[in-house]
Amino acid sequence: MIALNIAQIAHAVSGEVHLENGDTLDTVVSGAVDTDSRLIEPGGVFVAKPGEETDGHLFVDAAVERGAALALVERRVEASVTQILVPDVVEAIAALAREVVKTVKDAGDLRVVGITGSNGKTTTKNLLARILEGEGETVSPKASFNNEVGAPLTMLRVTGTTKYLVSEFGASAPGEIARLAGLVDPEVGVVLMVGMAHAGGFGGIEATFHAKSELVRALSAGGVAVLNADDARVAAMAPIAAEQGASVRWFGRGPTATDVRADDVVVTASGTSFTVTADGVSLPLRLRVLGEHHVMNALAAIAAATTFGVSLADAVARLETVEIAERWRMQPLGSERVRIINDAYNASPDSMAAALRTLAQITGPDERTVAVLGAMSELGEYAEEEHDRVGLLAVRLGIQRIVVVGDPARRMFLEAVAQGSWDNEAVFFSTADEAFDYLQGELRDGDRVLVKSSNSAGLRFLGDRLGESFS
């Protein structure tokens, strides 16, 4: 975080100061801000956030032991650290993030880009950050820090020398993206796709469209909306950009992707090769991140980066250094003998379909496809229908072994059986341990194994176990 004195921080968060340890209102604080006491470093700011399972106020002492210089609290605690008392610490860190970003913008040339979409946000964020890091100091979210807590914490990592801030905006309800984007006023907004992820929270696909379009509405006059030309709902956001006085930059694989486009896509087990054309310049790109669907994420990253003046050649060279999108996202594990693809950090109907198609595409004629599938979360009333669709798709793609794990995902198994996956081609297990024991005996040389589920299903750890077992 930039250096601010206690008075400035208290003013930004509208808090009540309780000084300790000889601090004054002029005492300067410049350490990192975090809600996890275990991650606090000397001089840092600890945010005592109440949670569903525990309460951050119980860990103020632990944060002090690690060197916290200041604590944001909702009630005073007995601890030898200056505290700023606020009604809501989540709202406080948002207000502090707004102040920090505005201060840096006013003093320098900080450029801000926001990314949203039903799928692909984290991968696109990582790809764009890799490109921009070659241009100057870049701050981007760790993992999927894209919610009401994670997004402000990322923003608070901005310093006086930061050139680019890449913000990832997730949401499970209307209004959340508008609120988060409003903290930083992005000049570039990237919308990847409108799909069924979190449809239960939004109330359907049209409500999801309106929620994702909040990022475009947050752009100011002179801003740029980077839109997926291949997604009709995203393309329909162009008039919204025009209303804001923002221009549109199109990316995609179809003929309407007039600014950044991919052609001649070839998918292999070691990555995806294609020709990228940006503003009339064409270059070959070999993306090592597994999955044809990541072509669109790469195009989005290129479209945003070139908006900032990055050359296509530099963007391509930097993207070719990326080996994986993120841990647990199409992460290759195991060995050439048994290849495990651990993609179990997140799942939606669209990302599940993309991962299954990738499995089918990268498996050779003498190899076997194995899909280990868990539940997709946050689908609400659409959950049963969408899980059925996944089971149907797995059969239609010819996946040779379908292993469904966890009671919430059972409909995938039932649909696969109903569609013809008999004779143990599809199996079901209630627990990951049972599935692991089965796979230990079932997997053989030449198998290509996809592990895919939402985070809540916990199959990412099953993927790790399988990767280690067959390494």
Side-chain angles (χ1 to χ4, degrees):
M1 186 179 74
I2 62 172
L4 296 171
N5 64 36
I6 291 173
Q8 290 172 314
I9 296 172
H11 181 266
V13 302
S14 301
E16 177 183 295
V17 179
H18 298 272
L19 297 169
E20 292 283 349
N21 301 330
D23 288 344
T24 70
L25 293 178
D26 292 325
T27 298
V28 173
V29 178
S30 60
V33 182
D34 213 302
T35 58
D36 190 335
S37 61
R38 297 166 297 183
L39 301 179
I40 292 294
E41 297 179 353
V45 179
F46 176 60
V47 181
K49 186 179 82 70
E52 294 181 2
E53 298 181 2
T54 188
D55 184 347
H57 293 80
L58 302 175
F59 299 94
V60 173
D61 278 330
V64 173
E65 290 178 5
R66 294 189 62 86
L70 179 67
L72 292 179
V73 297
E74 294 180 5
R75 65 176 186 273
R76 287 196 65 186
V77 298
E78 293 296 327
S80 58
V81 65
T82 292
Q83 300 168 43
I84 297 180
L85 181 64
V86 296
D88 187 316
V89 294
V90 173
E91 292 183 2
I93 58 173
L96 184 57
R98 180 188 295 111
E99 179 65 20
V100 166
V101 172
K102 181 180 184 300
T103 299
V104 177
K105 273 188 169 183
D106 290 346
D109 60 350
L110 177 66
R111 315 293 296 276
V112 180
V113 54
I115 300 172
T116 195
S118 298
N119 295 297
K121 294 183 294 296
T122 298
T123 298
T124 303
K125 170 262 299 184
N126 288 338
L127 296 177
L128 178 56
R130 179 63 61 89
I131 296 171
L132 296 179
E133 284 165 358
E135 302 294 311
E137 181 182 315
T138 300
V139 170
S140 64
K142 301 174 182 176
S144 290
F145 272 34
N146 61 21
N147 62 9
E148 62 179 358
V149 175
L153 289 180
T154 298
M155 298 166 191
L156 286 166
R157 289 169 41 216
V158 166
T159 71
T161 57
T162 302
K163 187 171 182 180
Y164 298 102
L165 169 62
V166 180
S167 289
E168 177 185 342
F169 299 133
S172 55
E176 292 182 13
I177 293 172
R179 184 166 57 253
L180 294 174
L183 300 179
V184 293
D185 296 329
E187 58 195 280
V188 175
V190 180
V191 185
L192 299 167
M193 65 175 299
V194 175
M196 289 298 293
H198 311 298
F202 288 123
I205 195 72
E206 289 306 318
T208 303
F209 162 81
H210 288 293
K212 300 304 180 185
S213 69
E214 290 171 11
L215 176 56
V216 179
R217 297 183 191 279
L219 297 172
S220 57
V224 180
V226 176
L227 302 180
N228 180 352
D230 299 349
D231 186 311
R233 290 187 174 88
V234 176
M237 296 180 191
I240 298 173
E243 292 172 5
Q244 302 301 117
S247 61
V248 174
R249 190 157 171 79
W250 298 105
F251 71 93
R253 296 176 59 178
T256 56
T258 52
D259 298 298
V260 180
R261 188 183 70 253
D263 296 296
D264 306 321
V265 178
V266 177
V267 182
T268 71
S270 60
T272 305
S273 298
F274 56 98
T275 299
V276 58
T277 301
D279 305 309
V281 178
S282 297
L283 289 173
L285 194 162
R286 182 180 179 277
L287 192 65
R288 287 192 276 178
V289 180
L290 291 180
E292 184 174 1
H293 51 294
H294 290 308
V295 171
M296 294 296 286
N297 299 330
L299 294 177
I302 291 169
T306 50
T307 299
F308 290 129
V310 179
S311 72
L312 178 60
D314 285 340
V316 166
R318 292 163 191 167
L319 286 179
E320 290 186 334
T321 68
V322 180
E323 296 183 5
I324 63 169
E326 184 98 20
R327 186 183 180 192
W328 299 319
R329 285 181 169 85
M330 298 302 287
Q331 181 182 6
L333 299 171
S335 63
E336 283 304 312
R337 185 172 64 87
V338 177
R339 174 63 69 193
I340 311 295
I341 303 170
N342 194 354
D343 192 31
Y345 188 84
N346 210 346
S348 68
D350 294 305
S351 68
M352 188 74 80
L356 285 168
R357 290 191 181 99
T358 296
L359 176 65
Q361 286 175 319
I362 68 173
T363 303
D366 298 325
E367 299 170 340
R368 185 173 65 158
T369 50
V370 180
V372 183
L373 306 176
M376 302 175 288
S377 61
E378 300 184 64
L379 292 175
E381 64 184 287
Y382 308 97
E384 292 185 355
E385 175 185 355
E386 294 303 330
H387 282 85
D388 287 348
R389 289 179 187 275
V390 171
L392 172 61
L393 178 62
V395 173
R396 288 186 172 176
L397 288 172
I399 305 301
Q400 292 155 283
R401 287 290 183 272
I402 302 169
V403 182
V404 179
V405 185
D407 293 337
R410 187 179 179 87
R411 288 186 68 105
M412 292 182 189
F413 163 71
L414 295 176
E415 183 65 18
V417 172
Q419 295 297 327
S421 285
W422 307 314
D423 195 23
N424 289 326
E425 291 174 348
V427 295
F428 171 80
F429 299 99
S430 292
T431 69
D433 286 341
E434 292 173 315
F436 178 78
D437 291 341
Y438 165 79
L439 291 164
Q440 282 281 83
E442 173 67 20
L443 296 182
R444 66 193 190 204
D445 288 2
D447 282 350
R448 299 295 177 256
V449 186
L450 169 70
V451 183
K452 179 70 175 172
S453 74
S454 284
N455 196 357
S456 59
L459 295 198
R460 62 196 186 280
F461 303 118
L462 172 60
D464 286 344
R465 291 176 68 188
L466 291 171
E468 182 176 355
S469 179
F470 290 95
S471 63

